[in-house]
Amino acid sequence: MKAALSHRELTASQQARRERILSATRTLVGQAGYDGMIMRDVAHLAAVSPTTLYNLYNTKDELVLEALQASIADSWIRAEQTAELGFDRLMAQLALSIKQTKEHSAYALAMTQALLRAQGNDPLAQVLIHRNARAVKASLQAMLNKHELIPHTDLDELALDLVSAFWSNYMLWSKELVNLGHLESRIRRAYVSHMLPLTCGNRHHSLQAQLGHKA
């Protein structure tokens, strides 16, 4: 991928250009879908030349994935700033993801539909499923270290369960079977349901209370 420089190494003007390009990409994916987005239109909307855009990104897929990864990274960075690693950060990241979805619902819908069509080894699936699962696992590991999860919990399996719960609800939303306003509460409840049998101590009691279970 040509866009290999970390954005920490970019000048202010380069960073501003990058943000314009990624914002334009999300806008056009939202309007035309993953397959319908055209690089030349991105260049026009971002006020850069097509040559500049192709110098930065080899293909449309690279550009779309960069825009997607930046959105995901932003939600995790913001969660890190607001909540300690562990259960609270999982909930914070979920809330921020839903906030992004509400602000850019057409883009989120297009990416959800693209994920539904993707194969398991596609780069899109790698970003949306496997990379998110690794980030979720870090919070689960923190819970295990705090003795909030029972010993020998399979963190890889639990992380995948949580990511699956996230995207299954997004799939239902994309099919108009779930209202966007209910998406966060549905995913939160699914997270708690998956984790409850594997938690212990005060965390177990707090999750029981969230589900309305009696101790």
Side-chain angles (χ1 to χ4, degrees):
M1 181 181 290
K2 293 179 182 176
L5 279 179
S6 165
H7 51 269
R8 292 190 183 91
E9 301 172 12
L10 300 178
T11 65
S13 62
Q14 288 172 331
Q15 180 63 19
R17 180 184 65 188
R18 175 181 182 271
E19 291 174 358
R20 291 199 313 273
I21 290 171
L22 299 186
S23 177
T25 301
R26 296 183 194 106
T27 296
L28 292 172
V29 168
Q31 291 175 358
Y34 186 96
D35 296 325
M37 187 273 282
I38 298 173
M39 292 279 277
R40 185 172 293 274
D41 292 342
V42 173
H44 177 74
L45 187 59
V48 300
S49 71
T51 300
T52 296
L53 186 61
Y54 277 106
N55 282 339
L56 294 169
Y57 300 95
N58 284 304
T59 65
K60 179 178 78 171
D61 286 345
E62 282 189 6
L63 176 55
V64 172
L65 286 172
E66 173 75 5
L68 181 61
Q69 290 177 99
S71 292
I72 294 171
D74 180 67
S75 68
W76 281 107
I77 289 169
R78 291 177 184 272
E80 181 179 350
Q81 294 169 345
T82 60
E84 182 181 358
L85 188 64
F87 180 81
D88 291 339
R89 187 173 296 179
L90 283 176
M91 296 300 104
Q93 195 277 333
L94 171 59
L96 288 163
S97 293
I98 298 297
K99 183 175 184 290
Q100 286 181 339
T101 298
K102 290 179 177 178
E103 291 173 349
H104 307 285
S105 58
Y107 172 70
L109 180 59
M111 297 313 298
T112 302
Q113 292 169 337
L115 177 60
L116 183 60
R117 298 190 299 270
Q119 300 298 314
N121 60 350
D122 285 355
L124 182 65
Q126 292 294 319
V127 170
L128 290 178
I129 297 175
H130 300 288
R131 188 166 297 185
N132 267 335
R134 288 195 294 271
V136 168
K137 183 182 175 180
S139 281
L140 296 176
Q141 182 65 61
M143 293 178 68
L144 187 63
N145 294 344
K146 297 173 188 174
H147 308 291
E148 294 180 342
L149 293 175
I150 61 176
H152 312 300
T153 295
D154 187 331
L155 299 184
D156 289 310
E157 182 177 356
L158 181 54
L160 189 58
D161 284 343
L162 299 186
V163 173
S164 298
F166 181 93
W167 283 114
S168 64
N169 276 283
Y170 266 75
M171 296 299 179
L172 292 174
W173 167 61
S174 75
K175 301 299 183 183
E176 299 184 348
L177 297 173
V178 170
N179 186 286
L180 180 56
H182 299 155
L183 197 55
E184 182 176 357
S185 62
R186 285 182 59 91
I187 297 173
R188 186 183 297 270
R189 186 174 182 85
Y191 279 11
V192 172
S193 296
H194 279 293
M195 285 189 283
L196 181 60
L198 300 171
T199 54
C200 50
N202 291 335
R203 180 60 66 189
H204 183 77
H205 296 309
S206 70
L207 296 192
Q208 279 186 319
Q210 288 188 43
L211 287 179
H213 291 175
K214 293 183 179 179

